[in-house]
Amino acid sequence: MNNIARRVTSNFIWLLLSDIFSGCTIFLGNLYIARALKAAEFGIFSFALAISEYMWIAADLGITLYGTREVAKNPDRAEEILSVLNSMRFFSSIVLFSVLFLILTLARVPPHKENVLLAAGFYVIAYALSPDWLFRGSETMKYLAIGDIITGSFFLSSILFLVKGPEDTTWAAFLWSFSSLVGSAGTLYLLWRNLGIRFFFTLSPSKWKGHIRESVYFALIASLMRGYAYIPILLLGFLSTPDQLGIFSAPHRFVYMLNRFNFVFPRAFYPVLSSLSGDIKAFKEANYSLQKIMVAIGLPIGVGGTILARDIIHLLYGNSYLGATDIFKILIWVVPIGFVRSSYSNPLLALGLQRLNAIATGISVFITIILNLILIPTYGIYGAAVACVACEIMVLFFMTLIFSKRVYRSIPFDAYFFKIFVSCVLMGVLIGMVHVNVIIKIILGAASYGILAIVLGVMDRKAILGFYSTVVNSRKKV
């Protein structure tokens, strides 16, 4: 029992470190690139990365999720599964990159933009061979973290040396892709050296066909969950100027980097909720704790971000991006809404209702596309920002609706929420009144919110110990 609990805890810590390091290197790298390239070229760079992200969703074929499950179920067949699935992924990436090259050639895209798009598109080939999903399935998360360190370190160091100004946009896109190739090669070596598992290219249409039948549903979930965030970037690339796209992309990439971290507590609660699926009373208590935590973390980020928007943009991106201040004020609300949404979406997965989760997300994505097509031509980047927030609201609405119909009625806006709201308002008044450096304002805001939260009973020692006890005890039952 204790061995299993230690294993789960170790995996969680390594995954957390991996995601934090990956998120931080992406953020710092994009921050440097945004400053070096300036708004117009950063807009082209962001558009190219959005294209590569959609290409990757198609190239992956759902293997990231599907392969993890298959290796976890059949660890003795890990080498065979790796060879077959990554061969599928590598082949599909070659096909998609060739299609991109053909489209750009036939469309007579300007040479500079074509080079940037091809450099970013190379990412699908570079990342296709990565065995990251196998590390998750075999519960060897530390190698996943090492791989992220290799990739992130190469990316940051290379752009610092080779990306100096707007003329280096192609270099920036290529180094983004090539760092993934370095990471893929490094993790394949770690896999062979430490686990004795090697990758062999396997050209077997019959085996590929069997796996595709199983992985297609996972591909649908991945496309919905990862794809909707880049819809505004993609549409702005066609409907707006590079300067406007660059102004929008700066806060957009920062906000969605923050939104990545709404997984931390839901992932910690996931095994707990899964184990309590047969006890609705205990499930409700555990999920209510999760909802309180997510509201308590998300809401002050929205309030503080709105008040400090100009200071934050100036600190991160400089004077040339101050036009993104109002965009940031809108987009920052993606974070608190996303935090609350995850307190419904993850429990649905824990209860085995992933099909309904996908339906809710799919409907929301469809509505978001329509909103973007309506708002962007009239309101430009402001319309795109509103559409981003609207998408999160739609996902939250449908998740809440499904949760209420299939599980139980759960709305976390009670007396506890009112206490958080009061704490956030008072924090906002304080940081809005003081005239000091933005970093000091952030520290003051965090400290004042923490003190107010304790005074008003938002968080206390008993609640924290209770949360810890619930998670640990539930893991020991695994």
Side-chain angles (χ1 to χ4, degrees):
M1 297 282 190
N2 290 332
N3 179 55
I4 292 175
R6 284 196 300 271
R7 191 178 77 197
V8 171
T9 303
S10 175
N11 288 340
F12 175 75
I13 291 172
W14 280 111
L15 274 173
L16 178 60
L17 290 175
S18 172
D19 286 336
I20 288 176
F21 186 86
S22 175
C24 288
T25 53
I26 290 172
F27 166 64
L28 292 174
N30 277 282
L31 187 62
Y32 175 79
I33 289 171
R35 284 177 168 266
L37 299 184
K38 307 304 180 187
E41 288 299 316
F42 185 63
I44 295 174
F45 172 80
S46 298
F47 178 71
L49 260 56
I51 294 292
S52 71
E53 181 68 25
Y54 283 106
M55 287 176 62
W56 172 249
I57 292 171
D60 182 54
L61 301 172
I63 287 169
T64 297
L65 292 172
Y66 169 71
T68 299
R69 188 191 73 176
E70 291 302 293
V71 168
K73 289 169 57 179
N74 308 285
D76 54 322
R77 295 179 51 225
E79 185 168 278
E80 176 194 347
I81 295 171
L82 171 70
S83 296
V84 172
L85 296 188
N86 265 17
S87 296
M88 288 168 51
R89 205 158 70 166
F90 185 70
F91 180 79
S92 67
S93 70
I94 294 290
V95 171
L96 283 168
F97 185 81
S98 301
V99 170
L100 175 66
F101 178 78
L102 182 62
I103 291 174
L104 294 176
T105 302
L106 295 175
R108 298 184 182 277
V109 175
H112 171 61
K113 195 171 185 178
E114 179 180 5
N115 290 338
V116 176
L117 287 165
L118 289 174
F122 178 66
Y123 169 81
V124 296
I125 298 175
Y127 195 55
L129 296 177
S130 173
D132 55 351
W133 54 269
L134 190 147
F135 289 134
R136 292 189 181 93
S138 60
E139 296 187 44
T140 50
M141 312 300 183
K142 64 180 180 180
Y143 301 120
L144 182 64
I146 294 171
D148 283 335
I149 292 172
I150 293 171
T151 304
S153 300
F154 180 87
F155 174 60
L156 284 178
S157 59
S158 61
I159 61 172
L160 287 173
F161 279 105
L162 297 172
V163 179
K164 301 296 184 181
E167 68 278 2
D168 296 323
T169 310
T170 302
W171 265 117
F174 176 74
L175 293 172
W176 171 275
S177 300
F178 191 75
S179 62
S180 295
L181 182 62
V182 172
S184 295
T187 48
L188 284 172
Y189 175 77
L190 288 171
L191 191 63
W192 165 64
R193 196 60 194 273
N194 295 283
L195 301 181
I197 298 175
R198 299 188 182 189
F199 168 72
F200 299 96
F201 184 79
T202 304
L203 184 63
S204 177
S206 59
K207 290 183 178 180
W208 291 2
K209 185 178 179 180
H211 284 292
I212 288 175
R213 285 197 191 116
E214 295 292 323
S215 68
V216 64
Y217 183 70
F218 291 91
L220 175 61
I221 293 176
S223 65
L224 292 175
M225 294 306 295
R226 296 183 62 180
Y228 77 87
Y230 296 96
I231 291 172
I233 298 288
L234 188 67
L235 293 177
L236 283 170
F238 294 105
L239 301 174
S240 185
T241 65
D243 282 287
Q244 288 292 292
L245 178 56
I247 291 294
F248 177 85
S249 296
H252 180 272
R253 299 191 74 82
F254 175 70
V255 165
Y256 278 94
M257 185 278 296
L258 285 179
N259 210 35
R260 285 170 56 119
F261 294 101
N262 71 23
F263 75 90
V264 178
F265 283 103
R267 186 174 291 181
F269 270 87
Y270 186 79
V272 177
L273 295 172
S274 298
S275 67
L276 298 176
S277 59
D279 185 347
I280 190 63
K281 182 179 179 181
F283 182 93
K284 288 174 69 173
E285 291 177 357
N287 195 50
Y288 182 60
S289 295
L290 172 61
Q291 289 176 333
K292 289 197 297 183
I293 290 170
M294 300 307 280
V295 173
I297 296 174
L299 190 57
I301 292 176
V303 173
T306 302
I307 295 171
L308 300 177
R310 183 180 178 82
D311 292 330
I312 291 172
I313 290 294
H314 182 264
L315 174 69
L316 296 178
Y317 300 103
N319 290 328
S320 60
Y321 286 89
L322 285 178
T325 298
D326 290 336
I327 299 298
F328 186 88
K329 289 179 180 179
I330 299 171
L331 285 176
I332 193 62
W333 288 97
V334 164
V335 178
I337 298 168
F339 270 56
V340 176
R341 182 252 303 158
S342 67
S343 70
Y344 288 98
S345 60
N346 277 53
L348 285 175
L349 295 176
L351 292 171
L353 299 173
Q354 60 269 17
R355 184 176 65 86
L356 297 178
N357 185 307
I359 290 172
T361 307
I363 294 172
S364 304
V365 169
F366 176 75
I367 294 173
T368 301
I369 294 173
I370 300 301
L371 278 175
N372 273 282
L373 291 173
I374 293 172
L375 296 175
I376 289 177
T378 305
Y379 301 103
I381 57 178
Y382 295 95
V386 170
C388 286
V389 176
C391 179
E392 289 292 340
I393 293 173
M394 286 292 102
V395 176
L396 174 59
F397 171 77
F398 286 113
M399 292 290 181
T400 306
L401 185 64
I402 290 172
F403 198 92
S404 298
K405 295 289 186 182
R406 296 298 299 269
V407 188
Y408 63 89
R409 187 175 182 181
S410 174
I411 302 176
F413 304 117
D414 52 12
Y416 184 86
F417 172 80
F418 179 73
K419 292 178 182 179
I420 296 173
F421 177 77
V422 171
S423 299
C424 288
V425 170
L426 294 175
M427 175 202 71
V429 171
L430 174 64
I431 60 178
M433 288 176 58
V434 296
H435 299 286
V436 292
N437 181 276
V438 63
I439 296 177
I440 298 176
K441 284 186 178 182
I442 292 172
I443 294 172
L444 281 175
S448 63
Y449 176 74
I451 293 170
L452 288 165
I454 293 173
V455 170
L456 294 175
V458 172
M459 56 184 177
D460 54 59
R461 182 173 176 271
K462 182 179 178 181
I464 293 171
L465 291 176
F467 159 68
Y468 176 80
S469 176
T470 301
V471 173
V472 171
N473 290 336
S474 297
R475 283 176 174 172
K476 287 181 179 179
K477 294 176 184 178
V478 178

